[in-house]
Amino acid sequence: MSEKALLPCIHLAQGDIPPRVLVCGDPARAERISKRLTEARCLAQNREYWTYTGLYQGVPVAVVSHGVGSGGAAIAFESLWRAGARVIIRVGTCGGMQPEVTAGSIVVATAACREEGVTEKMVPLSYPAVADGEVVTALVNAARQRALPVHKGIILTQALFFPELLESTVKLYARAGVVAMENEAASLLVVSSLHGVKAGVILAVDAPAFELVGVEGYQQTAGRAEVAQAVEDEISVALDALIRVPLEDHI
């Protein structure tokens, strides 16, 4: 890690990381992913932000955790851009919102609905949260090369995790064809678009979304072998895609 001035929270400085970065919510998962790298080392561990670097198939990459929720995650994404990230892929879990998007499925996001309550403070809601086309293509192609089926479509990023007295918009978005719900992707896509970073999202479905089945129904599917396998598969796909996305635009 550099001795230059550190960015808040994430404890990295400009130039500390390579331009290709894989992000996930759970610090323990980031550590686990780092074991797939050669010459892996830990750069920083502060709060929920754990950073590792290494080589994947000879290409320098970083793996960084961002915690749960878009507020803290947005700090990570902004800081990663400032530290040198130019391609970022998020791996995580989500709740399925369509009948065919079941536990153990993999979803590649093309865009995200901005219901996370953070990016509206950065730029008007009419500004879309869109995944970079080259990243989406790289993810889909990498999944195809591994013979892994994926659902591709719009996802919902919501601030709420547990539903309470007020009904959320999950059922409305489900009727509109949104495929899955999670808590951080929209902030990644907006922050990345604002700074010219190529970003994308791949998710493993661990259950139907809370509002479609209730909290108890969601918890009943957690920990299934197919979900654990989907998480491992999405990480493999994301790493494959990460090193294939060109750092510069090609027309």
Side-chain angles (χ1 to χ4, degrees):
M1 186 173 63
S2 172
E3 294 182 358
K4 295 181 290 186
L6 298 179
L7 292 159
C9 299
I10 203 168
H11 280 196
L12 299 173
Q14 184 177 359
D16 274 350
I17 58 170
R20 291 181 167 88
V21 182
L22 195 70
V23 296
C24 62
D26 184 3
R29 181 174 293 163
E31 182 179 25
R32 214 161 53 242
I33 296 171
S34 74
K35 298 185 185 306
R36 297 196 185 201
L37 309 179
T38 57
E39 301 181 22
R41 64 190 185 104
C42 179
L43 288 188
Q45 291 181 333
N46 187 58
R47 300 188 181 187
E48 65 264 47
Y49 311 107
W50 292 17
T51 300
Y52 301 86
T53 59
L55 303 177
Y56 182 72
Q57 297 183 13
V59 180
V61 301
V63 181
V64 183
S65 61
H66 55 67
V68 177
S70 281
I75 295 173
F77 305 144
E78 175 79 21
S79 297
L80 287 173
W81 165 68
R82 292 173 183 270
R86 295 301 176 262
V87 179
I88 303 176
I89 297 178
R90 163 165 153 70
V91 295
T93 54
C94 64
M97 290 174 56
Q98 299 299 323
E100 69 275 13
V101 185
T102 55
S105 298
I106 295 176
V107 171
V108 172
T110 55
C113 304
R114 294 170 54 194
E115 293 279 348
E116 87 298 335
V118 176
T119 60
E120 65 189 64
K121 310 300 182 185
M122 303 175 185
V123 66
L125 282 169
S126 55
Y127 186 94
V130 181
D132 178 83
E134 289 180 312
V135 177
V136 171
T137 298
L139 286 168
V140 171
N141 287 344
R144 185 177 295 123
Q145 288 169 2
R146 289 179 175 269
L148 293 170
V150 297
H151 300 279
K152 186 175 71 170
I154 299 170
I155 64 172
L156 168 63
T157 298
Q158 183 168 263
L160 205 60
F161 191 80
F162 289 107
E164 297 292 349
L165 298 181
L166 295 177
E167 185 173 354
S168 77
T169 54
V170 169
K171 293 179 180 178
L172 171 64
Y173 282 119
R175 292 199 299 272
V178 173
V179 297
M181 184 198 78
E182 54 79 77
N183 300 105
E184 298 87 22
S187 62
L188 169 62
L189 299 180
V190 169
V191 169
S192 296
S193 291
L194 290 173
H195 295 306
V197 175
K198 298 179 180 182
V201 179
I202 185 168
L203 304 166
V205 182
D206 56 13
F210 281 152
E211 287 86 343
L212 303 181
V213 296
V215 173
E216 293 75 16
Y218 189 100
Q219 291 175 335
Q220 287 170 2
T221 65
R224 284 184 178 176
E226 59 264 35
V227 175
Q229 185 60 54
V231 170
E232 294 305 309
D233 287 341
E234 68 163 342
I235 292 168
S236 297
V237 169
L239 285 168
D240 289 348
L242 184 65
I243 64 172
R244 294 187 174 100
V245 176
L247 297 178
E248 303 298 333
D249 289 323
H250 295 279
I251 305 299

